[in-house]
Amino acid sequence: MADMIALTDKQIKLARHALGFDQGVKQSYRNRFTVSKGSETWADWQNLVDQGMAEKHQWDGTMSLFTLTRAGADSVLEDGETLCPEDFPQQPNTGE
C-alpha cells in the first residue's frame, strides 16, 4: 500500500476552494485555481503537483492554472461530499 501523503492545512483549504467546497456545497462544481508565479500560494500548488495531487497548465507568461487530480480531490473530501462527475468521470481508485 502506498504511503499516505499529508497535506498542510493551507493546501487542504486551497484544494477545497479549487473544488468550490468553500461555498457550502456538497458536490464540487469546479476544478481550477489560477496562480501567478511568485504569489504566496505558488509553492503550495507546486508541492501538490510534485506529490501527484494536482496538475499545472500554463495559462500565459505569468499565470498558471492548477487542477486537482482524482487523488488530490479525493483526499480533501469531507463526509457527505461528492465530486462532480463532469470534472471527475472515472471511479475512485479501489486499489484493485
Side-chain angles (χ1 to χ4, degrees), residues 19-87:
L19 295 169
F21 287 124
D22 60 337
Q23 301 298 311
V25 298
K26 290 295 184 183
Q27 183 178 62
S28 66
Y29 64 91
R30 63 184 181 213
N31 182 18
R32 64 187 179 279
F33 196 101
T34 56
V35 179
S36 62
K37 191 167 186 173
S39 74
E40 67 181 63
T41 58
W42 179 266
D44 294 294
W45 278 105
Q46 191 58 55
N47 182 264
L48 289 171
V49 170
D50 294 344
Q51 294 184 62
M53 304 297 262
E55 296 176 341
K56 180 172 67 172
H57 314 273
Q58 193 63 36
W59 188 341
D60 66 22
T62 61
M63 299 289 289
S64 291
L65 173 73
F66 289 89
T67 58
L68 293 164
T69 61
R70 180 64 189 235
D74 282 341
S75 72
V76 299
L77 284 177
E78 294 180 357
D79 288 342
E81 294 177 339
T82 59
L83 297 173
C84 175
E86 290 181 22
D87 292 325

